[in-house]
Amino acid sequence: MSSAEATAGTQRGELSDWFRERISHAVSEFTAATALVVLFIALTFASPYFLTADNLFNIGAQTAVIAIIATAQTMVIITKGIDLSVGSVAALAGVLGAMVVRDLGFSLWAATAVAIGVGALAGLLNGLLVTVARIPPFIATLGTMSVGRGLVFIITGAVGVYGLPRSFQLLGNGQILGIPFAVVITVLVAVGVAFLLSQTRFGQYTYAMGSNLEAARRSGIRVGRHLTGVYVLAGVLVGLGGMIAASRVNSGQPNYGISLELDVIAAAVIGGASLFGGQGRIVGTIIGAFLIALVRNGAVLLDISIHYQQVIVGVIIWAAVYFDQYRRRRLESRG
């Protein structure tokens, strides 16, 4: 076989792999979108309150927080990692953002910068624990989750932060031309991160590390620095999401975000992100976030206990991960 024929064969193989991966993403996203539409229609008939303007606004605001933090989780999952600290960090960011407004007279935007900074620092800590201390992401972020939650309770004395001005509600309850401000922020975040992952070297490196970390290192990627950067950017989004959540209820709640990591992991995996790394797209994550938000909203409208909601989310995670494994086996067998 000539070198030209070998090169052509390699190119055909790479094109085939690329095509199979695109089909895999499309199938995941189509399946999630179909489930979303079916659930939306079912809730329309199940509850007379579902299609009210107030409820749809609440769904949009609720989806925004889940979607922004799930976008952060997706980036980490693509690197073959996991971030269990998102709920605690979001609570810490929201509480501190609320406190600087109430106690120091900060504006909403300055407080948002504080919340984002808190998230960035937590992300930096996670990144250094994973890359420098060589602690597995699961354990590293589990520790950060515990530390973050403990700090929230210590700072607040386990009491919510109240007495905030009405302007504090802008992020969570404000509107632009009738569209929730939180939804506008979510769209901007989703478009920005999707562009970053699909059209920049940052995205190429992120997928490369998730697919094969050692190969990425040998190709010249500064794995430690880049992986830390992914965790920092994820922390920035978690801090922003925590601030929006605090703004929605016009207070800083130390209990916020308990089990939030389950919702955002479910949203990412439902949308096609693989817990084995190297796969995931933001458009799928947004669909998954809407699906999880509808499940939560529908459960409230139908007066389903929070405990049963946890069972439902757990089953969704099982189903999504099983589907991911099934999809990978099919792709590998066809490869």
Side-chain angles (χ1 to χ4, degrees), residues 50 55 58-59 62 292-302:
F50 179 70
N55 188 61
N58 289 334
I59 292 173
Q62 184 177 6
I292 294 298
L294 279 188
V295 169
R296 294 290 191 185
N297 181 262
V300 171
L301 293 178
L302 299 177

Side-chain angles (χ1 to χ4, degrees), residues 243-275:
M243 191 62 182
I244 294 174
S247 176
R248 282 189 62 203
V249 295
N250 202 34
S251 63
Q253 294 297 325
N255 287 319
Y256 175 74
I258 295 176
S259 298
L260 178 63
E261 60 276 357
L262 296 180
D263 286 2
V264 298
I265 290 171
V269 175
I270 288 170
S274 173
L275 294 176

Side-chain angles (χ1 to χ4, degrees), residues 202-257:
F202 178 92
Q204 294 173 357
Y205 288 176
T206 301
Y207 284 106
M209 290 191 306
S211 297
N212 191 320
L213 185 63
E214 187 58 33
R217 182 179 287 111
R218 292 179 179 178
S219 68
I221 297 175
R222 303 182 70 171
V223 170
R225 174 180 294 184
H226 184 80
L227 189 56
T228 300
V230 171
Y231 277 97
V232 170
L233 180 55
V236 166
L237 296 182
V238 172
L240 175 60
M243 191 62 182
I244 294 174
S247 176
R248 282 189 62 203
V249 295
N250 202 34
S251 63
Q253 294 297 325
N255 287 319
Y256 175 74

